[in-house]
Amino acid sequence: VTARRAALIGCGMVGGSLMAALRAAGAIGHTVGHDRDAGHAERARALGLIDEVVGDAAAAVDGVELVVLAVPVRATAEVCAAIAGAVSWATLITDVGSTKLDVVDAAERTLPDPSRFCGAHPMAGTEKSGPDAADASLFRGKLVLVTPGEKSAPATIAACEAMWTAVGARTRRMPPAQHDRVVAWVSHLPHAAAFALAAAVGGVADEVAGLSGGGFVDTTRIAASDPTMWRDIFVANRAPLLAAIEALDGELHALRAAVEAGDDAAIEALIARARDGRKRVVEGRA
Amino acid sequence: VTARRAALIGCGMVGGSLMAALRAAGAIGHTVGHDRDAGHAERARALGLIDEVVGDAAAAVDGVELVVLAVPVRATAEVCAAIAGAVSWATLITDVGSTKLDVVDAAERTLPDPSRFCGAHPMAGTEKSGPDAADASLFRGKLVLVTPGEKSAPATIAACEAMWTAVGARTRRMPPAQHDRVVAWVSHLPHAAAFALAAAVGGVADEVAGLSGGGFVDTTRIAASDPTMWRDIFVANRAPLLAAIEALDGELHALRAAVEAGDDAAIEALIARARDGRKRVVEGRA
């Protein structure tokens, strides 16, 4: 994708990183940013992630060829409705949200020409948020799931993939429903586990403060993520997430029963299965 | 501690790292190693972690001033019984195990002079194991919990603390029972959560292979740990671990119920509590 003018709606870490990366790649010219939180937009401009702040979403997208939505997933429909009358110049409207069925549905219901919308989800988030956490190299070597809706035009899909390739990412195309099932397992469930673990250990913080090692730090790193953003993701992806939590609950109960019974073989088998499962998931090729 | 001769029983990552670090600090002279797995001991010698391999534990400790036990916690009693007749020269007998009530009890029951035993637990493990994973800088800046038994002599405790200080670690003294409760929360529970999570996601590995991001990788890093070692730890620290798993289970169920009900406020509150709890645990001073 090459755009003389581009608009970023939502000037947080992921959107800000993408604009900075596209500019570094020479793929975009003038960048307009809008954020419900004017301070975020101003900060993004001060950091050089965008060139200009516009206080109104419709005015921000006016005359631009590329529109990137980087708002909490639940805000997608509202933002699409706000910009619907002003996106006639856009050849690609895309997003970076962590759930896709709801986002694609909102975009298709709200945009005047849904053929020019194609959703995407970079698997490159961190526990940080806000424009100060933006990093132009965030997507280098990372995987981006590109999730066309049924109405996305082939040229739109290709433009979306080209945009991510331009910033150094690998892309893999999959339908929104498959995306939501996959991320329930590899992203949303780990967050749920990390939140539950950090909350549990936090309950005895007075006794254990300062005594943790690298294991606790890494296992709960993503528990430092933004509560509002993750509340939205969990609710948006409720059914796949609940199925995944069910499976985690089953494994945790199996482990608890084996420990309670002092069943050496069962404990060792579960740990070996965990180690093997992790290896297959992490080292498998997408 | 300064020892002309030292013995390492169990030549894995932690024991090997300690000997390499003590030597680098100039705290020990000739080092004798023994391992039930002769290949491990030979590899430790080839790597320069120890100077000499001795095939018999009692012969290995003969005439040494420092004895470090770095075996799976469940093997402590057997090893102590094996060396009991040959440790008369030792001024410090210590261990590096992840549980302490059982280890201290085994040492006190088995050693001829328990006043010269003081247990310790460096909070510096990783998911790796074996002599090839040893690293002389492993303990630099890390916390070591020093857990004297009721019979440990003051000079023994001081020597144990001095040994860890010599390799760059910070020490904190606490009774074995408190140690076991603390590590159930900050170490054993994170491992249990990581094992359960990796096992659950491994169950759908065919669908999600290669699609994970940094969140899954970090959250399950310690799930790649050695199954036998962790089986022993879980069984040895059964009661405190089960109490911690109970708390994790409670948080996971609360999160599941809130997601099921689409209860925005409850989800957000739990995540915020997790974030705050993690911060207090990680940033608190020991």
Side-chain angles (χ1 to χ4, degrees), chain A residues 74 181 206-207 210 217-218 220-221 228 231 238 246 249 253 256 260 264 268 278 280-281 284, chain B residues 74 206-207 210 217-218 220-221 228 231 238 246 249 253 256 260 264 268 278 280-281 284:
Chain A
R74 203 183 286 189
R181 280 199 313 275
D206 288 342
E207 195 186 354
V217 169
D218 283 2
T220 60
R221 177 180 61 80
T228 310
R231 174 203 71 191
R238 187 187 320 198
E246 190 76 36
D249 190 50
H253 277 84
R256 175 159 72 169
E260 211 151 18
D264 280 357
E268 202 170 343
R278 176 180 193 272
R280 290 172 63 207
V281 171
Chain B
R74 203 184 287 188
D206 289 341
E207 196 185 355
V217 170
D218 283 3
T220 60
R221 176 180 62 78
T228 309
R231 175 203 71 189
R238 186 187 321 199
E246 190 78 37
D249 190 51
H253 277 84
R256 173 159 75 170
E260 210 151 19
D264 280 359
E268 202 171 342
R278 177 181 192 273
R280 289 173 62 208
V281 172

Side-chain angles (χ1 to χ4, degrees), chain A residues 8 12-22 49 133-139 167:
Chain A
L8 173 67
M13 178 186 73
V14 175
S17 297
L18 178 55
M19 289 339 228
L22 285 170
L49 307 171
D135 169 7
S137 68
L138 183 64
F139 309 108
V167 298

Side-chain angles (χ1 to χ4, degrees), chain A residues 74 123-125 127 129 143 145 170 172 174 178 181-182 185-187 189-228 230-232 234-235 237-238 241-242 244-249 251-253 255-265 267-268 270-278 280-286, chain B residues 74 123-125 127 129 143 145 170 172 174 178 181-182 185-187 189-228 230-232 234-235 237-238 241-242 244-249 251-253 255-265 267-268 270-278 280-286:
Chain A
R74 203 183 286 189
M123 305 295 284
E127 73 281 14
S129 56
L143 179 68
L145 303 180
R170 296 173 293 127
R172 168 143 169 203
M174 64 174 62
Q178 185 189 348
R181 280 199 313 275
V182 164
W185 290 100
V186 299
S187 171
L189 184 64
H191 278 82
F195 293 143
L197 176 61
V201 180
V204 295
D206 288 342
E207 195 186 354
V208 304
L211 299 174
S212 63
F216 179 77
V217 169
D218 283 2
T219 311
T220 60
R221 177 180 61 80
I222 55 177
S225 300
D226 182 62
T228 310
W230 280 94
R231 174 203 71 191
D232 281 12
F234 280 8
V235 172
N237 205 26
R238 187 187 320 198
L241 173 60
L242 287 172
I245 290 179
E246 190 76 36
L248 172 61
D249 190 50
E251 296 291 356
L252 195 62
H253 277 84
L255 181 58
R256 175 159 72 169
V259 171
E260 211 151 18
D263 184 341
D264 280 357
I267 299 171
E268 202 170 343
L270 194 148
I271 297 176
R273 189 156 51 80
R275 182 152 87 158
D276 174 63
R278 176 180 193 272
R280 290 172 63 207
V281 171
V282 171
E283 295 176 10
R285 292 301 304 170
Chain B
R74 203 184 287 188
M123 305 296 282
E127 73 282 13
S129 56
L143 179 67
L145 303 180
R170 296 173 292 128
R172 170 142 168 204
M174 64 175 61
Q178 185 189 347
R181 280 199 314 275
V182 163
W185 290 101
V186 299
S187 171
L189 184 64
H191 278 82
F195 293 143
L197 176 60
V201 180
V204 295
D206 289 341
E207 196 185 355
V208 305
L211 300 173
S212 63
F216 179 77
V217 170
D218 283 3
T219 311
T220 60
R221 176 180 62 78
I222 55 177
S225 299
D226 181 61
T228 309
W230 280 93
R231 175 203 71 189
D232 280 12
F234 280 7
V235 173
N237 205 26
R238 186 187 321 199
L241 174 60
L242 287 172
I245 291 180
E246 190 78 37
L248 172 60
D249 190 51
E251 297 291 355
L252 195 62
H253 277 84
L255 181 58
R256 173 159 75 170
V259 170
E260 210 151 19
D263 185 341
D264 280 359
I267 299 170
E268 202 171 342
L270 194 149
I271 297 176
R273 188 155 53 79
R275 182 151 85 158
D276 174 63
R278 177 181 192 273
R280 289 173 62 208
V281 172
V282 172
E283 296 177 10
R285 291 302 302 172

